[in-house]
Amino acid sequence: MSIIIHSKYKSKEEAILQLVANFFNEGDMIVAGARNTIKSNFLVDEKVNIKFFQKPGLFKSIIYSFFRSTKAKRSFDYANYLLDHHILTPFPIAYIENRSGFGLLKDSYYISQQIDHDFTIRELIHNPLFPERNIILKQFTEFTFKMHEAKINFLDHSPGNTLVVKKEAGKYEFYLIDLNRMSFKNLSIEERMDNFKKMWLSKTMVKVIAKAYAELSNEPEEKLHAILLEKTAQFKRKITKKKYLKRKIGKK
């Protein structure tokens, strides 16, 4: 077992190890996925999230052991990068990797602070009458623009992966979660608009986001609107086709 702990939490190493040791017997379930499980628990007197990454197959185990960082390590490293660039995310506390005697990855854990959020972007997307919807969309666009300016391409920029905290009327904070898929580079305007495609935006929302991003980037609003509209439509067609084929295969 190897454990990396943020310097602010070094004094709590034993408590962190205890949380991981008791992961399957204690804590409140948040996500019970096929590949990953997330629980909340208390690290001494602070509520935290523990994300368990199950043992990968042999091929991926070799890749994560010798050629690529594990999901737990990437989550920890990317969270630190985000915070260093003033992009909010739950504070990274530690990550743990368990390996076999041959150095192959078995499983891993990522521990971060719990964020008591009010809603996610998903609720906003699916409710046209959501209070202050356009205000939130504009501020979310500003948040995404700031992320792009920091050379961050969040590959899982989807509705459930942004937590929203309402600070006061008309003022919101956004926190990125599920961080292990990112790339870091200067992004073209096409790539920036493409980064919104998984949000499943309506035509009305596309208009709001294109206008807000144009004001921030000094790009023509009409240009951004056209790109974003097409990127969104392409993504929706792709997902709809996948669902259709899956249903068709399932009926055979």
Side-chain angles (χ1 to χ4, degrees):
M1 173 189 287
S2 64
I3 177 170
I4 300 296
I5 304 175
H6 195 282
S7 58
K8 292 184 178 180
Y9 285 84
K10 283 289 187 182
S11 63
K12 297 182 178 180
E13 180 171 350
E14 289 301 318
I16 291 170
L17 290 171
Q18 195 67 34
L19 275 184
V20 170
N22 297 327
F23 178 79
F24 294 101
N25 302 315
E26 298 179 355
D28 297 322
M29 184 69 71
I30 297 176
V31 176
R35 294 176 296 175
N36 309 320
T37 303
I38 305 175
K39 283 187 168 184
S40 65
N41 208 335
F42 282 92
L43 177 61
V44 189
D45 58 353
E46 179 181 14
K47 198 167 188 180
V48 299
N49 281 355
I50 308 108
K51 187 169 186 177
F52 168 67
F53 298 96
Q54 294 189 27
K55 180 180 179 180
L58 179 60
F59 176 74
K60 285 191 175 180
S61 181
I62 293 171
I63 296 298
Y64 290 143
S65 299
F66 305 112
F67 302 103
R68 193 179 181 194
S69 296
T70 66
K71 291 181 179 180
K73 183 180 188 303
R74 292 202 306 269
S75 298
F76 182 84
D77 290 344
Y78 294 169
N80 279 295
Y81 184 94
L82 290 174
L83 293 175
D84 286 345
H85 289 80
H86 310 291
I87 308 297
L88 294 177
T89 189
F91 193 90
I93 294 171
Y95 73 91
I96 292 173
E97 298 173 346
N98 290 313
R99 297 176 182 267
S100 70
F102 299 101
L104 288 176
L105 179 69
K106 293 169 68 178
D107 53 41
S108 56
Y109 298 82
Y110 171 58
I111 301 97
S112 63
Q113 286 182 342
Q114 168 85 14
I115 297 297
D116 293 324
H117 62 287
D118 295 294
F119 53 93
T120 70
I121 293 295
R122 180 180 285 117
E123 288 93 315
L124 186 79
I125 296 293
H126 295 300
N127 183 4
L129 300 178
F130 199 94
E132 298 190 314
R133 192 178 195 231
N134 284 356
I135 292 173
I136 299 167
L137 273 176
K138 186 175 185 295
Q139 292 180 19
F140 173 70
T141 303
E142 293 168 356
F143 172 77
T144 303
F145 175 79
K146 185 178 177 181
M147 182 175 72
H148 292 163
E149 289 292 284
K151 303 181 180 180
I152 299 163
N153 184 13
F154 182 29
L155 301 177
D156 285 325
H157 202 31
S158 57
N161 286 339
T162 299
L163 310 180
V164 186
V165 177
K166 184 174 183 178
K167 303 301 291 182
E168 58 188 66
K171 180 63 178 175
Y172 297 84
E173 288 184 342
F174 305 89
Y175 292 76
L176 293 185
I177 61 170
D178 199 5
L179 306 180
N180 63 80
R181 295 184 66 242
M182 291 187 181
S183 64
F184 303 90
K185 63 175 184 176
N186 287 315
L187 296 166
S188 68
I189 200 64
E190 287 265 351
E191 290 170 322
R192 290 175 180 225
M193 294 301 98
D194 186 71
N195 198 214
F196 284 103
K197 69 183 179 185
K198 293 182 180 180
M199 288 294 164
W200 209 262
L201 303 171
S202 66
K203 289 181 179 179
T204 300
M205 298 173 78
V206 165
K207 188 174 182 179
V208 172
I209 288 175
K211 178 178 174 58
Y213 208 101
E215 292 171 354
L216 294 162
S217 64
N218 294 320
E219 291 280 350
E221 182 181 340
E222 296 78 9
K223 174 184 175 181
L224 299 190
H225 184 270
I227 297 171
L228 184 53
L229 197 62
E230 180 57 26
K231 295 288 186 183
T232 299
Q234 286 176 354
F235 180 74
K236 288 182 178 180
R237 288 195 296 268
K238 179 181 176 181
I239 297 302
T240 301
K241 183 178 179 180
K242 278 186 177 181
K243 288 181 178 179
Y244 170 76
L245 292 174
K246 189 175 181 180
R247 285 197 302 268
K248 193 173 181 180
I249 292 170
K251 290 179 181 179
K252 290 182 179 179

